[in-house]
Amino acid sequence: MRYAMAIDTRKCVGCSDCVVACQTENNVPHGYCRDWIVENVSGAYPIVEVELRSERCNHCENSPCVRCCPTGASHIVEGGIVMVTHDECIGCGACIQSCPYDARYSHPDGYVDKCTFCQHRLQKGQNTACVEVCPTKCLHFGDIEDPYSDVSLALKNRTWKVLAPEAGTKPQLYFLT
Amino acid sequence: MKEELFISGRDIPNIDPFLNIWHWQIPLYLFLGGLAAGIMFFAGLFTIMGKEKQMATTVKWAPFMVPVALVLGLFALFLDLKHEMYFWRLYTTIRMESPMSWGAWTLMLVTPLSMIWVATYMKELMPRWNWKFDFVEKTVAFFTTKRKEMAWAMMLLAIILGVYTGILLSAFNARPLWNTSILGPLFLVSGLSTGLATIIWMSKDKKERYILSQIDLGLIGIELFLIVHLFMGFLAASAVQIEAAELFLGGQFTVTFWVFVVILGLVFPATLEILEIKGFHIPIWIPALLILFGGLVFRFVMVEAGQITRYLY
Ligand code: SF4
Ligand code: SF4
């Protein structure tokens, strides 16, 4: 099993509902976020193109954050989800330095925090909070090894890209273009 | 014409707009670690060569600085931790893939070793010294007979420690400026040089200083070579690394790096050392201080600039 997410950049309207849903669901402290919206404008007026992306931890298959963690607080659980055990984390910041996506932050309580793919919800058979609230249904989540999962079906007939593949981390967020 | 504009709805402290999660503590820690490694290496080396008498400061006096530097360095590291009450977690596991982990373990070995080394010379340096307890006396006496073995261990651990200060950074491929294997040897050589500078500063013996200055000149030469190599490597690499190099070649770190690190921290003290060797009278603390200062600035610049370099946004 391998959890992954596909994000439809053509459907996303940049409303930030996913950001707020995550902050509420996961008690993210004020001023911080585990997912965020990037608005990428390219071209020169009048020919411009906008790409909206809802980004979060890529739950990389070759995760440098797990490798460099001196205590094992950063680890991988079933389905390839990268997790941080708060009371094993010493807050050294090595994993923050190692993430090409800047997906981690230092929680005001000291430990490092990031997206968990709402593992606590998955265990109950629910979907992630961000997917659940997205008004345009542009987020697709599921087991990428299952050809009939939401994410596999979304990737099937579309072109997609991953961000910074050259960083070599094998990211698991797929952006439909 | 093509413009690009990014707007991110994110403003997380210490992450946006530029990563700044490591402050002064880490460069100071790297500096002190390198300095300690330098002193230990040469103390070990001259002991193995049987030159305790000729190189008395190197072997006997300067190592006093090692535990001091290491404890201060560890304290700086401790201050950097954001969840410091869980510090002990570092020592409940060894993770070979994590430089931070094996570095912490190396320090765990090196610090007591350097203290024992100093203890074995205590009586020689302060004849009235008394260990108070019998078992301490006996333990120290035992280690005094084992100096050669300790010297080997010190040399080996010094190299590991010195390289570690560079690998700690170079292991992060997310930061293009750090992600080069030259950083390990470069930090090692720079650390050895700062260690030497400390010994030269402490030494009162002209002959000893003369030998050390010659070694230091060699090290500075290697360091300059590695720095040129570093930039050659960057400029021939991928876009993100070219961008990283540009921070030093016209970008915001150009002056700090080339003036304070390369000219004032390497070229100028090397020139002074050459003059000293040629017989001119140069107050010894000037090149020593410059080298130490250059080494410190070097680490600050590398840590700060590295955090700015990135793949995205
Ligand atoms: S995106 Fe960053 S934090 Fe997430 S798994 Fe990859 S390297 Fe680790
Ligand atoms: S900050 Fe915490 S999770 Fe990150 S590398 Fe350090 S100990 Fe591991």
Side-chain angles (χ1 to χ4, degrees):
Chain A
M1 188 160 73
R2 185 82 190 64
Y3 285 120
M5 194 179 277
I7 296 114
D8 196 333
T9 60
R10 301 214 165 246
K11 267 191 180 174
C12 175
V13 291
C15 66
S16 294
D17 270 10
C18 51
V19 180
V20 178
C22 171
Q23 286 167 327
T24 316
E25 173 70 30
N26 296 299
N27 262 322
V28 178
H30 187 71
Y32 293 77
C33 53
R34 290 182 179 185
D35 56 351
W36 59 93
I37 305 292
V38 171
E39 191 179 328
N40 187 355
V41 184
S42 56
Y45 181 81
I47 310 161
V48 285
E49 212 173 296
V50 184
E51 182 178 273
L52 287 157
R53 300 193 301 256
S54 165
E55 296 186 6
R56 55 190 58 53
C57 167
N58 283 263
H59 296 272
C60 306
E61 205 173 306
N62 178 22
S63 39
C65 52
V66 171
R67 246 180 295 130
C68 73
C69 176
T71 65
S74 283
H75 62 287
I76 299 178
V77 299
E78 208 207 332
I81 302 177
V82 175
M83 299 284 284
V84 184
T85 310
H86 294 167
D87 56 11
E88 280 180 18
C89 171
I90 59 173
C92 65
C95 54
I96 298 181
Q97 300 288 9
S98 79
C99 173
Y101 304 96
D102 288 344
R104 292 171 168 247
Y105 63 87
S106 173
H107 191 284
D109 286 347
Y111 52 80
V112 162
D113 200 33
K114 64 181 261 308
C115 163
T116 58
F117 267 168
C118 281
Q119 201 221 16
H120 62 289
R121 291 174 60 91
L122 301 182
Q123 280 169 343
K124 286 188 268 176
Q126 297 166 324
N127 216 330
T128 73
C130 51
V131 171
E132 211 67 71
V133 298
C134 178
T136 63
K137 299 263 170 290
C138 74
L139 302 175
H140 305 270
F141 180 77
D143 177 6
I144 203 167
E145 284 167 4
D146 167 7
Y148 298 105
S149 69
D150 197 13
V151 62
S152 302
L153 292 174
L155 289 172
K156 212 166 160 191
N157 298 316
R158 292 281 297 272
T159 53
W160 51 263
K161 65 175 179 188
V162 294
L163 297 178
E166 66 276 20
T169 63
K170 299 199 181 143
Q172 296 299 318
L173 290 191
Y174 298 86
F175 293 90
L176 304 175
T177 52
Chain B
M1 192 173 83
K2 191 166 173 143
E3 281 169 28
E4 234 170 74
L5 181 74
F6 299 99
I7 302 163
S8 162
R10 229 175 54 158
D11 191 20
I12 302 179
N14 293 328
I15 310 268
D16 298 308
F18 291 111
L19 190 65
N20 188 18
I21 202 85
W22 282 352
H23 307 285
W24 57 270
Q25 297 93 334
I26 295 286
L28 184 67
Y29 163 65
L30 299 180
F31 173 75
L32 291 168
L35 188 146
I39 298 178
M40 278 199 325
F41 180 84
F42 290 104
L45 180 71
F46 288 115
T47 305
I48 291 164
M49 288 165 70
K51 293 234 159 53
E52 289 100 329
K53 290 238 163 57
Q54 297 93 314
M55 310 296 284
T57 312
T58 317
V59 173
K60 300 173 187 175
W61 275 109
F64 274 75
M65 299 297 288
V66 176
V68 179
L70 289 176
V71 169
L72 281 177
L74 275 170
F75 185 64
L77 176 68
F78 180 75
L79 287 181
D80 169 72
L81 302 181
K82 309 260 172 352
H83 216 203
E84 55 289 287
M85 285 312 133
Y86 292 83
F87 183 73
W88 52 274
R89 284 280 184 191
L90 272 176
Y91 296 107
T92 53
T93 163
I94 301 185
R95 304 199 62 255
M96 284 321 281
E97 281 182 322
S98 162
M100 197 68 121
S101 173
W102 56 260
W105 279 101
T106 309
L107 282 167
M108 197 62 157
L109 294 176
V110 158
T111 313
L113 181 66
S114 69
M115 287 178 179
I116 297 173
W117 182 267
V118 166
T120 66
Y121 277 111
M122 213 62 186
K123 282 226 162 117
E124 207 167 308
L125 299 171
M126 291 178 224
R128 304 236 307 270
W129 185 265
N130 178 4
W131 285 109
K132 297 244 168 41
F133 297 103
D134 202 33
F135 72 93
V136 183
E137 188 87 39
K138 283 207 180 103
T139 321
V140 173
F142 168 76
F143 279 111
T144 309
T145 62
K146 294 266 177 274
R147 280 198 189 127
K148 274 256 150 59
E149 288 82 349
M150 281 166 65
W152 278 108
M154 285 210 311
M155 260 176 80
L156 186 73
L157 287 170
I159 293 174
I160 296 178
L161 180 62
V163 171
Y164 152 71
T165 61
I167 289 189
L168 179 69
L169 300 181
S170 72
F172 297 128
N173 82 325
R175 311 292 150 209
L177 178 70
W178 295 343
N179 193 215
T180 158
S181 46
I182 291 185
L183 237 51
L186 180 55
F187 273 64
L188 170 67
V189 176
S190 162
L192 293 180
S193 174
T194 53
L196 267 185
T198 315
I199 309 174
I200 294 175
W201 196 347
M202 291 173 79
S203 174
K204 301 236 160 22
D205 178 355
K206 246 195 139 148
K207 252 193 152 164
E208 182 176 16
R209 286 208 311 246
Y210 180 77
I211 296 173
L212 295 175
S213 293
Q214 277 182 321
I215 302 176
D216 198 29
L217 274 176
L219 289 177
I220 291 179
I222 299 174
E223 218 178 315
L224 287 169
F225 167 76
L226 288 175
I227 288 175
V228 173
H229 224 62
L230 178 78
F231 285 103
M232 275 169 58
F234 281 148
L235 292 175
S238 60
V240 284
Q241 289 196 310
I242 294 174
E243 254 168 55
E246 277 166 0
L247 285 176
F248 294 81
L249 305 171
Q252 66 189 99
F253 292 96
T254 313
V255 176
T256 332
F257 185 76
W258 296 102
V259 174
F260 290 101
V261 178
V262 176
I263 297 180
L264 282 179
L266 296 170
V267 178
F268 189 49
T271 319
L272 291 180
E273 279 181 350
I274 293 174
L275 289 178
E276 159 106 12
I277 289 171
K278 289 250 183 290
F280 287 89
H281 182 70
I282 311 274
I284 200 64
W285 59 271
I286 298 180
L289 187 71
L290 285 173
I291 289 173
L292 289 172
F293 178 72
L296 188 63
V297 176
F298 174 55
R299 284 155 182 84
F300 268 89
V301 169
M302 286 308 278
V303 169
E304 212 178 302
Q307 295 187 86
I308 292 178
T309 61
R310 47 169 53 172
Y311 277 89
L312 288 169
Y313 318 132

